[in-house]
Amino acid sequence: MHIQTRTLQKEDYHDLKEVMIEVYSGIGGDYWPKSSITKLLNIFPEGQFCVEVDGKVVAIALAIRVNYAKFGDNHTYYEITGGYTFKTHSDDGDYMYGIEVFVHPDYRDLRLGRRLYDARKELCEQLNLKGILAGGRIPNYNKYADELSPREYIAKVKQKEIYDPTLTFQLSNDFHVRKVLRGYLPGDSESKEYATLLEWINIYYVAEKDKKPHTDSIIRLGVIQWQMRLFKNLNAFLEQVEFFANAVSDYRADFMVLPEFFNTPLMADFNDLPEPVAIRKLADFTEAVREKLCEFAISYNVNIVGGSMPLVDTDGKLYNVAYLCRRDGSFEEYRKIHITPNEVKHYGMVGGYEIRAFDTDCGKIGMLICYDVEFPELGRILAQQGMQILFVPFLTDTQNGYSRVRHCAQARAIENECYVAISGCVGNLPRVQNMDINYAQSAVFTPSDFQFPTNAVKAEATTNTEMVLIADVDLSLLKELHEHGSVQVLKDRRTDLYDVTLKKAAKKAMKQKKASPDNDPEQVAPIIVVSD
């Protein structure tokens, strides 16, 4: 499945019409004529959004800009839309006014409405508008009209005593009810012709005289410090993962980061088996967990760095694999390059062959798993590929093991002029051999210069406590550092004397992987080349 949020185009009208007829079948199946949609696209093209799933438009949001003082809080839908002509739109309007939001019923489980609202909010901030207004139907009110006034009904929806498909959704997306409107949409029998005047306030709005350039370079990270615990079954484990996905999504995080081997509690059922056999039994869950991570990435609109999990490849070898599950439905994998002596001794794991940065909707990122971050060559290669944020899922049992990961991660942030987020497991895990104790303090590290915290630590979790770390990082500061930093580490490298490169390209390395039964890391390892 591939999901994309984008601006609506004229050629999307056929899909739009189909969705509207389906959505409004209960109240006549009415839809906007093509001429109306064309006019909206002509007067305010950037304000019309849609979500495309596998090439088909299934969700749409339409809007105009208005000078709201001309209308006030006692308007109708007919009045605010200029008799459905949209002549009320103004290029210098101070509010965005939502005309329509609708999602095809077959796709409502994907939470596509949230994506449309996020797109509106982002545009509102970019245009420096005061906020977003909309008249919201209350379609379940007809079931309670005999016993509750509109105000009482709204209060119970707010308190979650009553569910209303429109109002509940609006409230969950940070809108508040500014006023109750009567006769807003004549003929809306489900709402008894009542509506809520909803408002989302742009807290970044500044008056024109104080206006500053807007930046969209702020990336929000949700780093999970995962408590090891036993789970009754796979579904119980996935429920806990989804809890965190929902939590970071509520904070509008762009990335959710899970630790290394976060799924090892599922190995408890195989504790009677030898460790090499038990870990391969655990690997049987990997594909199912990865598929659910991709589903969560779509549903909660967050890119997920899926910690790491064991994977048995078609060659029969056991790898330690981290997945990047993008919120557009696609995914990538990274295989741990440097295998610890413990992983070799107890599990018979082997190292991967490919080092590369990944493109996301928030810039280029890199993934290194635990021990990998202790090898500076890998971080430098990723930096040369344009990596801006490095994610490091880790698992350490002792404080000195953790200290190696932490200090090396901080070094990678400074020497590569990037952000580094480390995510670890905490707590004890009885009934799972070789995974009994864990020590961690997850954190987000920065380069060390005036633009960043003096200790080069953006945020850090409480040691050995399950929690979610929410931190914003600004990619524009990396550009500023690279050009105007007190020191310019990447620019000042003496590449006339030395360089860091790969011995073989990725495709060639994969051929070598198949040809090398011993998985000899010397065949593809990064090296430092020193010239005469």
Side-chain angles (χ1 to χ4, degrees):
M1 181 182 293
H2 183 270
I3 296 179
Q4 179 185 12
T5 304
R6 58 173 175 82
T7 53
L8 190 70
Q9 304 297 315
K10 292 179 182 179
E11 54 266 30
D12 297 323
Y13 179 75
H14 177 73
D15 286 351
L16 178 148
K17 179 179 176 180
E18 281 190 359
V19 177
M20 281 201 75
I21 291 173
E22 183 68 26
V23 168
Y24 293 128
S25 60
I27 54 174
D30 206 0
Y31 58 89
W32 286 105
K34 189 173 184 178
S35 58
S36 296
I37 301 302
T38 300
K39 184 169 184 179
L40 275 176
L41 292 173
N42 287 336
I43 63 175
F44 191 30
E46 66 269 36
Q48 319 312 320
F49 294 101
C50 68
V51 179
E52 179 182 288
V53 177
D54 293 336
K56 184 178 178 64
V57 171
V58 298
I60 298 98
L62 308 176
I64 56 177
R65 282 181 68 170
V66 297
N67 288 307
Y68 189 65
K70 294 181 179 179
F71 303 94
D73 290 346
N74 292 310
H75 60 270
T76 64
Y77 188 75
Y78 184 88
E79 291 169 343
I80 201 72
T81 60
Y84 315 126
T85 66
F86 313 125
K87 64 183 180 182
T88 50
H89 171 80
S90 174
D91 289 338
D92 62 354
D94 56 356
Y95 273 90
M96 184 187 301
Y97 198 98
I99 297 171
E100 290 272 12
V101 173
F102 45 89
V103 179
H104 194 289
D106 292 345
Y107 295 86
R108 285 176 180 164
D109 288 341
L110 297 179
R111 297 178 175 86
L112 302 183
R114 183 184 299 204
R115 290 175 181 250
L116 293 170
Y117 272 77
D118 286 347
R120 274 185 176 173
K121 292 171 184 177
E122 183 176 349
L123 179 62
C124 185
E125 293 172 359
Q126 289 174 355
L127 296 176
N128 193 40
L129 304 182
K130 291 180 179 178
I132 303 172
L133 291 164
R137 300 176 62 240
I138 43 176
N140 274 358
Y141 179 58
N142 67 93
K143 301 175 183 177
Y144 302 89
D146 291 339
E147 53 185 289
L148 297 175
S149 69
R151 188 176 298 277
E152 291 170 334
Y153 175 82
I154 292 167
K156 287 186 176 294
V157 173
K158 286 182 178 179
Q159 295 162 6
K160 295 183 170 54
E161 296 177 21
I162 294 175
Y163 172 79
D164 185 276
T166 300
L167 181 56
T168 299
F169 172 77
Q170 303 276 12
L171 295 173
S172 69
N173 278 276
D174 301 322
F175 281 75
H176 70 272
V177 179
R178 182 161 164 166
K179 186 178 173 61
V180 177
L181 301 173
R182 185 166 188 169
Y184 181 74
L185 193 64
D188 183 4
S189 57
E190 290 181 328
S191 306
K192 297 293 184 180
E193 297 189 359
Y194 286 100
T196 54
L197 179 60
L198 297 151
E199 182 180 24
W200 177 80
I201 299 172
N202 177 15
I203 62 172
Y204 300 110
Y205 169 79
V206 291
E208 194 63 29
K209 63 182 178 65
D210 299 321
K211 188 175 177 182
K212 297 178 180 179
H214 178 84
T215 177
D216 58 357
S217 63
I218 306 297
I219 307 302
R220 180 160 295 174
L221 310 181
V223 180
I224 310 304
Q225 186 154 284
W226 176 270
Q227 173 77 42
M228 287 295 202
R229 56 167 70 81
L230 296 176
F231 293 95
K232 183 170 61 175
N233 51 39
L234 176 61
N235 287 335
F237 166 79
L238 292 172
E239 284 177 4
Q240 185 66 24
V241 178
E242 185 173 14
F243 164 79
F244 285 117
N246 188 28
V248 300
S249 179
D250 285 343
Y251 287 93
R252 298 174 66 185
D254 296 294
F255 287 96
M256 168 180 162
V257 194
L258 290 161
E260 181 182 26
F261 286 144
F262 72 106
N263 67 331
T264 48
L266 299 174
M267 202 159 57
D269 289 343
F270 315 117
N271 205 37
D272 58 325
L273 300 174
E275 289 165 358
V277 179
I279 195 74
R280 286 173 176 262
K281 288 286 188 181
L282 178 63
D284 290 341
F285 292 109
T286 295
E287 184 177 358
V289 175
R290 190 259 301 155
E291 288 178 355
K292 291 301 291 186
L293 290 178
C294 287
E295 288 182 25
F296 295 155
I298 293 170
S299 298
Y300 294 100
N301 194 25
V302 60
N303 299 301
I304 298 178
V305 177
S308 82
M309 297 178 281
L311 175 72
V312 178
D313 204 350
T314 53
D315 59 6
K317 294 177 181 178
L318 182 67
Y319 296 88
N320 187 347
V321 180
Y323 291 101
L324 166 63
C325 301
R326 299 188 185 91
R327 49 187 165 192
D328 67 1
S330 62
F331 73 91
E332 307 272 6
E333 71 171 36
Y334 166 75
R335 300 185 178 190
K336 188 174 184 179
I337 301 292
H338 299 94
I339 305 303
T340 62
N342 181 284
E343 290 171 297
V344 174
K345 175 182 177 182
H346 291 276
Y347 302 135
M349 280 188 164
V350 297
Y353 283 82
E354 191 173 11
I355 307 166
R356 68 184 180 98
F358 300 99
D359 290 313
T360 73
D361 57 2
C362 299
K364 281 205 169 186
I365 67 112
M367 295 187 292
L368 298 177
I369 302 174
C370 199
Y371 194 31
D372 282 338
V373 81
E374 299 175 30
F375 297 82
E377 297 91 345
L378 273 63
R380 179 52 48 83
I381 290 167
L382 291 171
Q384 291 170 343
Q385 295 174 3
M387 175 263 297
Q388 297 165 294
I389 307 174
L390 176 61
F391 295 105
V392 183
F394 73 92
L395 179 72
T396 51
D397 56 346
T398 62
Q399 189 169 358
N400 58 346
Y402 165 73
S403 294
R404 288 194 298 269
V405 171
R406 179 188 179 98
H407 295 313
C408 289
Q410 286 190 280
R412 303 298 84 84
I414 293 170
E415 68 198 16
N416 296 307
E417 297 179 348
C418 66
Y419 296 104
V420 180
I422 65 172
S423 171
C425 294
V426 300
N428 306 320
L429 191 58
R431 290 178 46 201
V432 177
Q433 295 182 46
N434 200 40
M435 288 286 175
D436 41 4
I437 61 173
N438 299 276
Y439 183 100
Q441 183 181 25
S442 302
V444 177
F445 303 124
T446 73
S448 184
D449 213 326
F450 293 114
Q451 301 95 327
F452 307 98
T454 54
N455 63 352
V457 179
K458 178 66 178 178
E460 55 188 351
T462 302
T463 304
N464 289 341
T465 301
E466 184 172 59
M467 62 184 296
V468 179
L469 194 62
I470 303 293
D472 286 350
V473 296
D474 188 347
L475 301 185
S476 67
L477 295 182
L478 301 180
K479 297 178 182 177
E480 183 180 336
L481 174 70
H482 186 64
E483 297 298 329
H484 308 293
S486 301
V487 295
Q488 298 174 23
V489 179
L490 289 178
K491 281 188 174 182
D492 290 341
R493 287 175 296 140
R494 288 289 305 275
T495 53
D496 59 322
L497 293 177
Y498 59 85
D499 202 355
V500 180
T501 185
L502 285 169
K503 281 187 174 179
K504 290 182 175 64
K507 289 184 179 179
K508 203 169 183 180
M510 293 307 290
K511 291 180 182 178
Q512 178 66 37
K513 168 189 166 185
K514 294 177 182 178
S516 175
D518 296 325
N519 191 21
D520 183 1
E522 288 297 318
Q523 299 297 323
V524 292
I527 62 169
I528 299 178
V529 179
V530 181
S531 62
D532 293 331

